[in-house]
Amino acid sequence: MENGQKIITKEQDLYFSHADGQGHIHRPVGKVPWKLIWLQISKENSWLVPPSQDWALRTTPYANRLRYYLEDMFAEELENASERSTIQQLYAQLFFLTLQRELQENSDPGLLRYKQSFSKLWMQVSASLEQRWSLDALCKEVDLSPAHFSRLCHVFYRKSPGMKVRELKMEHARSLLQNIDCPISQVAEVIGYESTSTFSTAFSHYFHLSPSDFRRSL
């Protein structure tokens, strides 16, 4: 480290260096080189709480799993299969879910229980996007008042409940447009839009690209 402190890492270690912390130099012991992955993550991601304001070292059973997910994700670049992009996205999701679980191990137990309930809720919403998910319907599923539910949404995601549902709809729409050859009207219907024009407007606002232009860009 810049302050002269030496840190020795092992295979199961995760080393976190805060962007606002001190500098450091990587010096591998022996002939085994370091594998460095730099992740630049927006401060607006409420779930990613840095372990410290400088640096931290954690031993975790997830370390190798994280490495495998990244290596497999990058390996997909060498493939020409049509599903390559989808597989890469799945590996990326696995990586961030695993990293999120590691960083939440010491989280407040009450908040962690709420997060688990919210995760189940969003899985349920994702499985039935054609339904009208009003605030009351969402609150009923997790047995929370609208005010409490909305507050926790802002704490966890920096989004309102409506924005979170819209995010799930738009991301699923993008996946369908990218990977399935079906009419745009059918995509709109699958994610709960009665009008194709209303869906196109919502998609354009979210991605700054119309559904048809998005398809042409692939």
Side-chain angles (χ1 to χ4, degrees), residues 127-217:
S128 50
L129 288 171
E130 74 285 355
Q131 295 185 22
R132 183 178 179 274
W133 286 99
S134 65
L135 178 59
D136 287 341
L138 294 169
C139 293
K140 183 178 179 180
E141 293 296 328
V142 290
D143 195 24
L144 291 173
S145 69
H148 195 187
F149 182 84
S150 298
R151 184 183 68 81
L152 287 174
C153 266
H154 280 286
V155 169
F156 294 152
Y157 315 109
R158 302 288 178 89
K159 295 179 176 72
S160 68
M163 291 171 63
K164 181 63 178 175
V165 172
R166 190 178 306 115
E167 176 187 61
L168 295 174
K169 286 178 177 285
M170 292 298 108
E171 291 297 337
H172 188 56
R174 179 173 67 171
S175 179
L176 291 175
L177 291 168
Q178 185 174 355
N179 299 295
I180 299 178
D181 185 16
C182 62
I184 292 176
S185 59
Q186 187 176 343
V187 174
E189 183 180 351
V190 167
I191 65 169
Y193 283 84
E194 296 179 359
S195 164
T196 303
S197 61
T198 303
F199 161 67
S200 296
T201 299
F203 190 93
S204 299
H205 281 315
Y206 193 85
F207 290 110
H208 306 291
L209 204 64
S210 71
S212 55
D213 286 343
F214 173 78
R215 265 197 169 149
R216 282 193 288 268
S217 70

Side-chain angles (χ1 to χ4, degrees), residues 24-66:
H24 52 275
I25 301 174
H26 309 293
R27 290 179 176 170
V29 177
K31 297 181 180 180
V32 181
W34 277 43
K35 291 187 177 181
L36 303 177
I37 299 294
W38 292 93
L39 300 174
Q40 182 174 334
I41 303 175
S42 169
K43 292 183 178 180
E44 294 180 358
N45 283 278
S46 58
W47 65 265
L48 185 63
V49 180
S52 74
Q53 288 299 314
D54 191 349
W55 63 272
L57 191 66
R58 288 190 179 182
T59 300
T60 169
Y62 309 136
N64 281 334
R65 193 178 305 174
L66 288 167

